[in-house]
């Protein structure tokens, strides 16, 4: 789709950016990252020489200045160690990569949800509830033929099933579903919490492909089922597995996925699909613009909140998840209130006054006199 | 590039260091150290024993004159050439700080009896002018024209040195008690630990026990006051098994570089950091010292930084002793090591 380039990079671009293990900053390209590392983390504080790696700096300090390097400068508190050999993006431990990617994904969706909540625009690739109708216009003769072939196959299958004494899986299939079946991705529905990103998961991004894009930190938010995750969908759906819209969903198939806003939403659906309050509000805002089929008092309330511009409370769920990877939380610069412990906490009496009270130092006028 | 080296002084004081001072004069390398071991050390010359722990020391009008603040309530003048000690004034409690203003030949001592004594060093026989303070002073620093006194309850009084000088010179007997030029509340929420004035007389920096440093300007205009800021420093992330979060150390020492106008802070975490007040940036942080940094001093030409290292007094300590763990380091700075980049 020839969409105008927006100011917001999409998730693949973000994930592809090289980033610095020591300070979690990301860069336009690898060259910049490497020069950053040389200037910020691998620079000798004695003579200013820039080394390529922490190990190199350690050897340099040892040989030239006869000193031992104990930590990497300007690094995040838990990344100061010399035990990992980092050069550019090489040498970053796999779990740290995953933490980083998760953080990027989470930030991306939070930012996106905020943008959508703020602007009221529908998510990318989706134009306010008329997606399916528009889709039909794009059908090529080949697609129509394919649809016809599929339709015939299905009718044949139904007949065969009927002949075997099994009830047909669905009532007369409406004319809309073949269009859905024809495209590699089901057309985004108003109720679909997040758009399917343009390309199936970029290579080398296992966490992204593995977790569900619309609920980044919690894979569990998406109930496991036979249907492949959206990012990996390639072929048209095997038709018999697809539940007829509006009818009871096949067991194990997540209803949100096919929920097209026409029928009543399955109870508790938004809570299942969204992991944070932000997302809920974003969903609500999006649904507010779509067909009025959305029921449920809480959603209405969320819509009202979004309309009134009330900021939802910080995404507690996301925070809790982030805290699971404790290292990631600190590294990710989570702006949460940090626990702190002061080594000297008396705000009235100075340490010197306390020291002066100790028998060791106490001054007694008579003693000297 | 000029060598940046650091060496440890061979015979450090035997107990915690309270203050460091380099002698005035561009080439002077003379360093005074006051200590809780009841001595004032003049490095390369010798030591001057006092009756009680010495809480502060400063040079007087030249490299041969020093003033000390004692836990025994006395402010003393030491003739460094002869070793002769004379009591300049007596407070009714321990003396916390002494500062000398060479511009006005005034010595100011601050004591836990909540007074400032202003001495006219040109006329030692004249009794000092006592100024009552609303709280116990914890840190005092002088700029060319101002004296900043940080007290308990986050009070900060700024006195104008010319006013103090004229009050001392006043023929009226007793002389009128000078009023502070400005009364402020500290920008920091916790007990003030150290104060240092900018050498260009524009402002000052304060630090607190809660790992934070504030930079403020003297000028009372709205735009000048809007420039003030504070930042966190001297903190360490606690290990996860101890509950995570930050361990926050007091910032025990602040000194401005006499030439470049940048400043160094020394914290209970044993690190010394160099800051660029203009650019609001940390320029460098030196490798951790074995114990907390108690005192810092730049030499008059800014070539050397003296770092007094000893265990910090922490909450709940019953038997503090700096014995055996007190160290003194002298760091020779490279040409541009303490030079800021200027604001961006």
């Amino acid at each position: 789709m020839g969409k105008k380039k927006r100011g917001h990079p999409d998730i693949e671009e973000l994930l592809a950016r090289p980033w610095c293990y020591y300070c979690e900053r990301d860069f336009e390209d690898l060259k910049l990252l490497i020069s950053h590392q040389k200037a910020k983390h691998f620079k000798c504080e004695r003579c200013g020489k820039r080394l390529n790696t922490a190990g190199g700096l350690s050897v340099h300090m040892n040989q030239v200045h006869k000193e031992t390097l104990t930590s990497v400068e300007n690094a995040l508190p838990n990344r100061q160690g010399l035990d990992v050999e980092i050069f550019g993006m090489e040498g970053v431990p796999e779990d740290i990569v995953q933490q980083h990617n998760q953080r990027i994904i989470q930030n991306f969706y939070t930012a996106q949800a905020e943008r959508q909540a703020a602007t009221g625009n529908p998510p990318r690739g989706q134009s306010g509830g008329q997606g399916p109708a528009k889709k039909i216009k794009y059908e090529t003769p080949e697609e129509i033929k394919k649809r016809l072939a599929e339709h015939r196959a299905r009718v044949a299958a139904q007949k065969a099933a009927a002949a075997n004494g099994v009830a047909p899986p669905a009532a007369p299939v409406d004319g809309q579903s073949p269009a859905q079946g024809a495209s590699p991705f089901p057309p985004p529905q108003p109720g679909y919490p997040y758009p399917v990103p343009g390309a199936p998961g970029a290579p080398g991004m296992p966490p992204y492909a593995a977790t569900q894009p619309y609920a980044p930190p919690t894979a569990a938010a998406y109930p496991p089922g036979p249907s492949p995750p959206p990012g990996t969908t390639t072929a048209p759906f095997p038709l018999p597995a697809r539940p007829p819209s509006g009818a009871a969903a096949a067991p194990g198939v997540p209803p949100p996925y096919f929920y097209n806003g026409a029928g009543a939403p399955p109870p508790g659906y938004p809570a299942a699909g969204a992991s944070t309050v932000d997302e809920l509000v974003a969903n609500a805002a999006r649904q507010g613009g779509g067909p009025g089929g959305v029921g449920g008092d809480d959603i209405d309330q969320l819509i009202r909140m979004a309309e009134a511009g009330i900021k939802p409370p910080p995404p507690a769920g996301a925070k809790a998840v982030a805290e699971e990877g404790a290292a990631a939380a600190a590294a990710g610069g989570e702006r949460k209130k940090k626990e702190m412990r002061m080594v000297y906490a008396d705000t009235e009496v100075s340490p010197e006054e306390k020291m002066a009270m100790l028998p060791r130092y106490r001054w007694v006028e008579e003693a000297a006199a | 590039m000029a060598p940046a080296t650091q060496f440890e002084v061979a015979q450090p004081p035997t107990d915690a260091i309270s203050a460091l001072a380099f002698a005035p004069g561009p080439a002077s390398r003379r360093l005074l150290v006051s200590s809780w071991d009841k001595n004032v050390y003049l490095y390369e010359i010798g030591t001057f024993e006092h009756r009680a722990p010495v809480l502060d020391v400063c040079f007087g009008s030249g490299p041969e004159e020093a003033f000390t603040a004692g836990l025994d309530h006395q402010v003393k003048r030491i003739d460094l050439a002869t070793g002769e000690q004379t009591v300049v004034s007596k407070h009714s409690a321990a003396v916390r700080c002494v500062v000398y203003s060479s511009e006005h030949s005034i010595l100011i001592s601050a004591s836990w009896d909540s007074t400032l004594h202003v001495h006219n060093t040109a006329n030692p026989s004249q009794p000092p002018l006592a100024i009552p303070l609303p709280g116990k002073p914890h840190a005092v620093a002088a700029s060319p024209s101002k004296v900043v006194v940080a007290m308990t309850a986050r009070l900060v009084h700024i006195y104008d040195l010319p006013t103090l000088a004229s009050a001392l010179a006043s023929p009226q007997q007793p002389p009128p008690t000078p009023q502070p030029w400005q009364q402020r509340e500290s920008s920091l929420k916790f007990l003030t630990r150290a104060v240092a004035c900018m050498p260009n007389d524009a402002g000052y920096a304060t630090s607190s026990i809660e790992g934070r440093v504030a930079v403020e300007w003297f000028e009372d205009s709205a735009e000048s006051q809007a420039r003030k800021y504070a930042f966190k420093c001297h903190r360490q992330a606690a290990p996860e098994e101890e509950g995570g979060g930050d361990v926050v150390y007091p910032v025990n020492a602040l000194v401005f570089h006499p030439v470049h106008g940048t400043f160094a802070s020394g914290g209970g975490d044993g690190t010394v950091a160099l800051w660029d007040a203009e650019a609001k940036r940390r320029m460098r942080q030196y490798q951790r010292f074995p114990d907390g940094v108690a005192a810092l001093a730049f030499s008059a030409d800014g070539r050397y930084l003296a770092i007094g290292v000893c265990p910090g007094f922490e909450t709940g300590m019953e038997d503090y002793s700096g014995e055996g763990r007190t160290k003194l380091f002298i760091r020779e700075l490279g040409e541009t090591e303490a030079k800021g980049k200027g604001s961006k």
Side-chain angles (χ1 to χ4, degrees):
Chain A
M1 272 175 276
K3 273 280 169 69
K4 204 180 88 194
K5 181 89 179 158
R6 296 138 304 119
H8 322 293
D10 55 30
I11 187 81
E12 284 81 18
E13 286 166 19
L14 284 176
L15 285 169
R17 282 169 76 84
W19 53 279
C20 177
Y21 166 80
Y22 293 108
C23 62
E24 286 266 341
R25 224 177 116 173
D26 56 355
F27 295 88
E28 203 56 50
D29 60 29
L30 198 60
K31 250 167 80 183
L32 282 175
L33 167 65
I34 288 168
S35 64
H36 155 86
Q37 288 180 336
K38 287 169 81 169
K40 283 283 177 192
H41 307 302
F42 306 147
K43 187 169 153 188
C44 174
E45 61 170 25
R46 296 281 175 280
C47 67
K49 187 179 163 81
R50 296 155 172 235
L51 283 300
N52 273 327
T53 64
L57 178 58
S58 172
V59 169
H60 164 89
M61 296 275 277
N62 238 320
Q63 294 181 338
V64 181
H65 307 294
K66 310 278 182 268
E67 289 184 17
T68 43
L69 186 70
T70 52
S71 65
V72 175
E73 271 216 79
N74 304 315
L76 294 164
N78 54 342
R79 305 268 173 96
Q80 292 172 331
L82 298 172
D83 43 335
V84 277
E85 187 83 2
I86 304 283
F87 176 71
M89 285 296 294
E90 283 167 45
V92 183
E94 189 58 32
D95 55 324
I96 305 279
V97 173
Q98 303 229 350
Q99 280 168 11
H100 175 84
N101 286 345
Q102 292 231 341
R103 187 173 68 88
I104 296 287
I105 292 169
Q106 188 184 336
N107 286 352
F108 175 79
Y109 284 110
T110 314
Q112 192 183 52
E114 272 167 13
R115 273 202 304 280
Q116 282 162 11
T119 60
N121 288 341
R124 201 174 144 236
Q126 188 184 325
S127 36
Q130 30 174 303
K134 214 172 183 180
K135 227 18 194 210
I136 290 163
K137 278 194 268 177
Y138 285 103
E139 267 186 299
T140 59
E142 286 82 359
E143 279 172 336
I144 295 172
K145 279 179 191 158
K146 207 170 160 196
R147 254 171 66 194
L148 182 62
E150 280 161 0
H151 181 69
R152 280 184 179 152
R154 188 170 50 241
V155 171
Q158 278 172 15
K159 276 182 181 160
N164 292 340
V166 181
V173 181
D174 56 13
Q176 198 188 38
S177 50
Q180 292 175 349
S183 87
F185 300 110
Q189 305 292 335
Y192 186 59
Y194 280 106
V196 176
M205 303 296 172
Y208 165 54
T211 58
Q212 307 306 316
Y214 57 80
T218 44
Y222 189 85
S227 157
T232 54
T233 310
T234 47
F237 277 84
L239 287 164
R242 220 158 49 79
S245 49
V253 175
Y257 194 75
F258 289 101
Y259 169 52
N260 63 7
Y269 141 65
S275 64
T276 68
V277 179
D278 269 353
E279 287 167 21
L280 272 177
V281 173
N283 286 345
R286 234 174 294 136
Q287 285 163 355
V294 183
D297 289 337
D298 46 353
I299 292 180
D300 284 343
Q301 198 203 334
L302 281 169
I303 294 169
R304 279 196 297 275
M305 268 174 69
E307 281 168 355
I310 299 168
K311 260 289 190 195
K319 288 267 162 74
V321 171
E323 271 165 72
E324 273 176 27
E334 282 280 338
R335 282 265 166 254
K336 64 168 188 263
K337 184 77 183 165
K338 269 197 164 180
E339 283 290 311
M340 59 173 217
R341 185 174 69 83
M342 286 165 61
V343 302
Y344 186 83
D346 194 323
T347 61
E348 287 302 317
V349 183
S350 68
E352 282 77 18
E353 285 170 273
K354 296 215 166 161
M355 279 169 76
M357 305 293 274
L358 298 174
R360 182 183 172 81
Y361 301 114
R362 183 163 28 213
W363 168 250
V364 187
E365 188 79 37
E366 301 81 56
Chain B
M1 191 167 265
T5 54
Q6 178 174 301
F7 59 89
E8 188 178 340
V9 171
Q11 290 167 309
T14 58
D15 207 337
I17 290 173
S18 57
L20 299 170
F22 268 106
S28 179
R29 297 282 170 266
R30 217 164 228 212
L31 176 68
L32 272 176
V33 179
S34 61
S35 166
W36 288 82
D37 70 1
K38 307 183 186 179
N39 279 307
V40 167
Y41 294 76
L42 175 63
Y43 276 92
E44 286 157 34
I45 301 236
T47 63
F48 302 95
E49 192 170 358
H50 287 58
R51 300 187 296 169
V54 187
L55 293 184
D56 199 4
V57 67
C58 68
F59 273 94
S61 54
E64 298 300 330
E65 184 181 43
F67 295 99
T68 63
L71 201 61
D72 57 356
H73 312 178
Q74 291 179 345
V75 180
K76 279 187 178 170
R77 176 185 180 277
I78 305 177
D79 185 325
L80 298 178
T82 63
E84 187 196 342
Q85 297 185 13
T86 45
V87 176
V88 180
S89 81
K90 228 170 155 341
H91 284 268
S92 55
V95 188
R96 177 66 188 91
C97 305
V98 280
V99 288
Y100 180 78
S101 164
S102 50
E103 284 82 0
H104 300 90
S105 299
I106 285 179
L107 174 74
I108 293 156
S109 60
S111 158
W112 288 336
D113 64 8
S114 297
T115 59
L116 282 185
H117 281 191
V118 184
H119 312 263
N120 181 359
T121 53
N123 179 9
S125 59
Q126 185 183 343
L129 173 65
I131 303 174
L133 295 173
K136 277 186 185 181
H138 290 306
V140 177
S143 75
S145 71
K146 307 278 185 289
V147 175
V148 182
V149 184
M151 290 163 281
T152 42
R154 302 168 51 232
L155 295 162
V156 175
H157 280 193
I158 303 170
Y159 289 90
D160 188 43
L161 276 170
T163 312
L164 295 184
S166 62
L168 263 187
S170 155
Q172 214 177 311
Q173 279 306 330
T177 305
Q179 290 305 306
W181 176 68
Q182 273 182 28
Q183 301 188 14
R184 293 190 185 182
E185 188 177 54
S186 168
S187 329
L188 302 169
K189 291 194 174 63
F190 291 85
L191 185 72
T192 309
R193 202 72 190 94
V195 176
C197 291
M198 296 181 192
N200 63 4
D201 213 5
Y204 61 97
T206 57
S207 70
S208 78
I209 57 169
E210 189 244 356
R212 223 178 266 266
V213 170
V215 179
E216 299 184 35
W217 278 262
F218 286 130
E219 200 184 306
D220 208 9
S221 65
E223 65 264 31
S224 255
Q225 290 310 306
R227 282 158 74 204
K228 72 182 176 190
Y229 61 90
F231 57 90
K232 289 193 254 189
C233 51
H234 299 286
R235 288 152 185 252
Q236 271 172 24
E240 274 315 313
E241 56 269 24
E242 287 174 27
D246 270 352
V247 180
V248 179
Y249 293 89
V251 182
N252 296 324
L254 288 176
V255 271
F256 274 89
H257 189 280
V259 180
H260 299 308
T262 53
F263 67 97
S265 65
D269 58 344
T271 60
V272 172
L274 276 181
W275 308 91
D276 185 339
E278 289 286 315
K280 300 188 186 178
R281 257 165 230 281
R282 185 173 77 190
M283 297 192 298
R284 55 190 69 226
Q285 178 157 359
Y286 298 121
Q287 276 178 44
R288 192 170 299 281
F289 290 96
D291 270 307
V293 176
L296 291 171
F298 274 113
S299 63
D301 58 1
R303 289 274 283 137
Y304 294 90
L305 175 64
I307 301 151
V309 174
C310 59
F313 186 89
E314 298 182 5
T315 298
M317 271 193 185
E318 296 296 324
D319 51 349
Y320 176 91
S321 164
E323 208 167 323
R325 288 169 66 187
T326 299
K327 293 187 173 64
L328 178 61
F329 295 90
I330 310 287
R331 190 181 175 86
E332 186 179 354
L333 303 180
E335 284 298 329
T336 56
E337 196 168 332
K339 193 166 192 289
K341 291 197 179 75
S343 50
K344 282 184 189 153

